[in-house]
Amino acid sequence: MEARAAFIERATDIAYKLMTPGHDRDDIRINIVNAPDGGWGMGGHAYTGERLTEAITRAAAATGTQV
């Protein structure tokens, strides 16, 4: 449970830093679900778990957030 809570907090931080001005941090929704490789879809692209982790890590680095 502790690891999930930390993940949600960090993911929310990343999403908030990438949002356009005027959005409320409290309106961000993060949902942890298990998906088969290739089952993640964002922006019209399918991601494996590994590619999703890489994308999140890149986004975090771009915002100066530690993952």
Side-chain angles (χ1 to χ4, degrees):
M1 183 70 171
E2 195 172 309
R4 287 180 183 224
F7 175 89
I8 289 171
E9 184 175 344
R10 288 186 183 127
T12 301
D13 290 343
I14 292 167
Y16 185 67
K17 287 181 179 184
L18 295 173
M19 291 169 61
T20 57
H23 290 276
D24 190 349
R25 188 179 191 282
D26 290 337
D27 291 334
I28 297 172
R29 303 294 182 257
I30 303 294
N31 185 16
I32 299 174
V33 296
N34 295 319
D37 270 351
W40 295 98
M42 290 183 289
H45 300 282
Y47 288 87
T48 63
E50 183 178 339
R51 295 235 11 236
L52 181 62
T53 300
E54 291 168 359
I56 291 168
T57 302
R58 279 193 307 276
T63 63
T65 303
Q66 185 179 2
V67 177

